[in-house]
């Protein structure tokens, strides 16, 4: 169950009526709030407000010695915010407003959703919704506007030219044309979209219960295909063939969804699909990975059996399978044999590959990267501020996108995230920083360094005046030998310095950029 995080917005200092020593040593329960869970507190002048589940909002005018129940007395109230004389309460039925310290409350225009958090910034009131992102009001709640793609669960991604599509929970499909800076909800706006696939100008969306939808105009319109009563967990395209993995089978359409035929794999949940040449791989519930070489007419169970396979990815001759809960497996021979990689104790919801780099999205530990076919993995969660549940990954336009649980879509520069290469897992005898090569360079150069023991490492670039101009490494690294590429395209010719810091070790070297 999703854990709800509530914020304490005011620290209540209890006025003690007994000796000072006892006041220092313990907490004193305030009188007058009977039963219920106190979710949050807020202050307005000398008034202190406390919100509870089921019995509304309480008011104290004497620092919590006594409390009085306000007129908002029959709601589950999750959050409070104060703006001047306005008191806002976020409830299980929207936002309420009081202008007279709780003597009376008026329901604002945001009136039919769970509001778990509230914040005030100037004239702006922000309301955090359960599963529906952030709403904004600039007129004390008279009207509310939903902000960008926030706090959605993003199950799937697909790329078509400069268009990035995101399949969400309950919000259907969103479209971004600027690498995720902004998102627009398409006409398919009320479905759980578990999977997306592109075939030329056709966009397919797999939903829960409603099967597969098709759009031929970038989501302006959607048409429900003939596969219209299935949970569709996965979609894959191979030429003119569209495969749909459902809760009981794999279906095939050769005419853009006008008709569908059930394939021979007809008694499994199919969570993931991947195409490699004429080979179609299917990840199933408890049956591992199946392979078809004849467009689904027959299927053969590969050597990876008896596992839940939630994700699949192909990179050259390598087939990666993300399982629950045994991490990532690798096959180099079309599934005849599989090897468990070093990421071996995670629930893997998503996989993505580019070149020799493999990304894995996990259930509770964010994103991992391997640059050596799974021999080792490095966690890549910088910037999240938390370890998200990552349902989907997409590599597009020099970015990697991560679709997360109730935290929407995130992006990170692909060059930045993969520039650190783990070139050896042998434990070095000491920390060291090698001279960059080539040197002088234009515009890229490589820097090799040794990490003798696990720890937080940083490599930063400085100009001749000591000003930091770039950060190449800034994360926890396991012991081993690494190489990072520095691109000086944005810098002018001159002398620069690069410095490695890890544990108590610091070393700096000089390099020259000549353009």
């Amino acid at each position: 169950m999703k854990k709800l995080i509530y914020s304490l917005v005011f620290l209540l200092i209890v006025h003690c009526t007994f000796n000072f020593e006892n006041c220092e040593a313990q907490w004193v329960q305030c009188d007058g709030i009977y039963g219920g869970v106190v979710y949050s507190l807020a202050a307005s002048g000398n008034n202190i407000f406390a919100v509870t589940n089921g019995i509304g909002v309480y008011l104290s005018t004497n620092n919590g010695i006594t409390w009085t129940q306000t007129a908002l007395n029959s709601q589950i109230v999750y959050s409070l915010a104060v703006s001047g004389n306005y008191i806002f309460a976020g409830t299980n039925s929207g936002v309420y407003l009081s202008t007279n310290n709780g003597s009376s409350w008026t329901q604002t225009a945001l009136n039919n959703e769970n509001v778990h958090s509230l914040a005030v910034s100037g004239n702006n009131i922000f309301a955090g919704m359960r599963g529906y992102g952030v709403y904004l009001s600039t007129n004390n709640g008279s009207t509310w506007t939903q902000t960008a793609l926030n706090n959605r669960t993003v199950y799937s991604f697909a790329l078509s030219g400069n268009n990035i599509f995101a399949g969400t929970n309950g919000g259907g499909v969103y479209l971004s044309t600027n690498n995720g800076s902004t998102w627009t909800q398409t006409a398919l706006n009320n479905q759980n979209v578990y999977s997306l696939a592109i075939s030329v100008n056709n966009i397919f969306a797999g939903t829960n219960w409603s099967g597969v939808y098709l759009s031929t105009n970038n989501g302006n319109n959607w048409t429900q295909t003939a596969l219209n009563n299935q949970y569709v967990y996965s979609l894959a395209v191979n030429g003119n063939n569209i495969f749909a993995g459902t809760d009981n089978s794999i279906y095939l359409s050769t005419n853009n969804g006008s008709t569908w035929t059930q394939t021979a794999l007809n008694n499994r949940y199919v969570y993931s699909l991947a195409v490699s040449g004429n080979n179609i791989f299917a990840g199933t519930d408890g049956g591992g990975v199946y392979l078809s070489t004849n467009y689904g007419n027959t299927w053969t169970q590969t050597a990876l059996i008896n596992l839940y396979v939630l994700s699949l990815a192909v990179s050259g001759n390598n087939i990666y399978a993300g399982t629950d809960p045994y991490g990532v497996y690798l096959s180099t021979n079309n599934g005849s044999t599989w090897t468990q990689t070093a990421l071996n104790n995670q629930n893997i919801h998503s996989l993505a590959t580019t070149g020799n780099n493999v990304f894995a999205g996990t259930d509770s530990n964010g994103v991992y990267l391997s640059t050596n076919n799974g021999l080792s993995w490095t966690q890549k969660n910088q910037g999240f501020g938390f370890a998200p549940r990552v349902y989907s990954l997409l590599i597009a336009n020099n970015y990697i996108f991560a679709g997360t649980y109730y935290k929407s879509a995130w992006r990170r520069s692909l060059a930045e995230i993969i520039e650190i290469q783990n070139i050896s897992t042998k434990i070095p005898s000491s920390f060291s920083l090698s001279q960059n090569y080539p040197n002088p360079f234009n515009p890229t150069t490589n820097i090799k360094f040794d990490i003798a023991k696990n720890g937080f490492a940083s490599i930063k670039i400085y100009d001749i005046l000591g000003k930091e101009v770039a950060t190449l490494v800034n994360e926890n690294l396991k012991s081993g030998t690494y190489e990072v590429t520095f691109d000086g395209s944005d810098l002018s010719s001159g002398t620069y310095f690069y410095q490695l810091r890890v544990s108590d070790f610091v070393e700096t070297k000089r390099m020259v950029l000549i353009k």
Side-chain angles (χ1 to χ4, degrees):
M1 177 179 292
K2 178 178 177 284
K3 294 182 179 179
L4 301 176
I5 302 175
Y6 306 103
S7 61
L8 185 66
V9 297
F10 176 81
L11 179 61
L12 179 60
I13 307 297
V14 179
H15 177 72
C16 300
T17 58
F18 44 91
N19 68 70
F20 181 78
E21 181 179 357
N22 286 339
C23 185
E24 283 281 313
Q26 65 186 10
W27 290 84
V28 178
Q29 188 173 25
C30 299
D31 292 330
I33 302 179
Y34 301 106
V37 177
V38 179
Y39 286 130
S40 59
L41 295 160
S44 176
N46 293 322
N47 298 316
I48 300 167
F49 296 88
V51 300
T52 67
N53 68 323
I55 47 180
V57 178
Y58 280 78
L59 167 65
S60 176
T61 59
N62 54 11
N63 289 324
I65 295 175
T66 59
W67 295 83
T68 304
Q69 194 174 30
T70 72
L72 190 61
N73 54 21
S74 60
Q75 298 286 339
I76 297 177
V77 183
Y78 298 116
S79 51
L80 281 173
V82 176
S83 177
N85 293 322
Y86 295 93
I87 313 294
F88 295 90
T91 76
N92 64 334
S93 58
V95 177
Y96 284 76
L97 167 65
S98 176
T99 59
N100 54 13
N101 289 322
S103 296
S104 61
W105 295 83
T106 303
Q107 194 171 31
T108 72
L110 194 59
N111 54 22
N112 60 352
E113 299 292 348
N114 287 335
V115 178
H116 287 288
S117 55
L118 288 165
V120 176
S121 177
N123 293 322
N124 299 316
I125 313 296
F126 296 90
M129 317 291 290
R130 181 175 182 178
Y132 293 95
V134 177
Y135 280 71
L136 167 66
S137 178
T138 59
N139 52 14
N140 289 319
S142 296
T143 59
W144 295 84
T145 304
Q146 191 175 23
T147 64
L149 184 59
N150 290 316
N151 293 332
R152 284 279 188 192
T153 299
V154 180
Y155 291 121
S156 52
F157 284 117
L159 174 68
S160 177
N162 291 323
N163 298 319
I164 298 172
F165 296 90
T168 71
N169 67 315
V173 178
Y174 284 77
L175 166 66
S176 177
T177 59
N178 54 12
N179 289 321
S181 295
T182 59
W183 295 84
T184 303
Q185 194 173 29
T186 72
L188 189 60
N189 56 19
N190 60 351
Q191 297 281 342
N192 289 343
V193 178
Y194 294 130
S195 51
L196 290 165
I198 306 290
S199 176
V200 191
N201 293 322
N202 299 318
I203 304 158
F204 296 90
T207 69
N208 68 323
W209 283 115
S210 300
V212 177
Y213 284 78
L214 166 65
S215 176
T216 59
N217 55 10
N218 286 324
N220 289 322
N221 305 104
W222 293 85
T223 303
Q224 193 174 29
T225 71
L227 190 61
N228 55 21
N229 60 352
Q230 300 281 344
Y231 273 88
V232 179
Y233 293 111
S234 51
L235 289 165
V237 175
N238 185 4
N240 293 323
N241 301 302
I242 313 296
F243 294 89
T246 74
D247 58 350
N248 65 5
S249 181
I250 294 178
Y251 287 81
L252 167 65
S253 177
T254 59
N255 53 15
N256 289 323
S258 295
T259 59
W260 295 84
T261 304
Q262 192 175 31
T263 72
L265 189 59
N266 56 18
N267 59 351
R268 288 285 187 187
Y269 280 68
V270 180
Y271 291 122
S272 51
L273 289 165
V275 175
S276 177
N278 291 324
N279 299 319
I280 313 295
F281 295 89
T284 68
D285 64 323
V289 177
Y290 285 78
L291 167 65
S292 177
T293 59
N294 54 13
Y295 303 109
N297 289 321
T298 59
W299 294 86
T300 304
Q301 194 173 28
T302 70
L304 191 62
I305 61 175
N306 300 329
L307 290 177
Y308 281 76
V309 178
L310 303 182
S311 50
L312 290 165
V314 176
S315 177
N317 292 323
N318 296 327
I319 313 296
Y320 296 91
T323 71
D324 174 11
Y326 299 110
V328 179
Y329 284 78
L330 167 65
S331 177
T332 59
N333 52 16
N334 286 324
S336 295
T337 59
W338 295 84
T339 303
Q340 192 175 28
T341 72
L343 191 60
N344 55 19
N345 60 350
Q346 301 279 342
N347 183 339
I348 309 297
H349 282 296
S350 50
L351 291 165
T353 62
T354 177
N356 294 322
N357 303 293
V358 184
F359 295 91
T362 69
D363 187 63
S364 58
N365 289 300
V367 177
Y368 285 81
L369 167 65
S370 177
T371 61
N372 53 16
N373 294 326
L375 292 176
S376 62
W377 296 83
T378 303
Q379 204 170 23
K380 293 288 185 177
N381 289 338
Q382 297 80 14
F384 281 125
F386 60 104
R389 182 180 300 179
V390 179
Y391 279 117
S392 49
L393 290 167
L394 173 71
I395 295 171
N397 303 330
N398 297 318
Y399 289 98
I400 180 167
F401 294 84
T404 66
Y405 180 77
Y406 277 115
K407 295 294 183 180
S408 291
W410 296 67
R411 75 176 186 186
R412 187 170 177 180
S413 166
L414 188 61
E416 182 271 327
I417 197 173
I418 66 175
E419 62 188 2
I420 306 171
Q421 305 286 331
N422 183 198
I423 60 178
S424 174
T425 56
K426 183 179 178 180
I427 300 176
S429 58
S430 62
F431 294 106
S432 68
L433 178 65
S434 300
Q435 186 63 49
N436 66 299
Y437 66 94
N439 188 42
F441 66 97
N442 179 27
T444 61
T445 187
N446 301 304
I447 299 170
K448 189 168 72 171
F449 58 100
D450 291 328
I451 301 296
K453 63 179 181 179
N454 298 355
F456 189 86
S458 71
I459 293 181
K460 296 184 178 182
I461 311 295
Y462 301 90
D463 64 16
I464 195 70
L465 299 176
K467 178 184 177 182
E468 181 183 328
V469 296
T471 298
L472 303 186
V473 179
N474 193 45
E475 61 188 83
N476 285 302
L477 294 178
K478 295 181 179 180
S479 56
T481 299
Y482 294 83
E483 187 173 83
V484 60
T485 299
F486 172 57
D487 188 339
S489 298
D490 296 331
L491 301 177
S492 58
S493 298
T495 298
Y496 294 88
F497 298 91
Y498 58 101
Q499 184 181 81
L500 169 66
R501 286 181 174 270
V502 57
S503 297
D504 296 327
F505 177 83
V506 180
E507 187 171 358
T508 305
K509 290 188 179 293
R510 175 178 175 272
M511 60 183 177
V512 179
L513 172 62
I514 299 178
K515 292 186 174 181

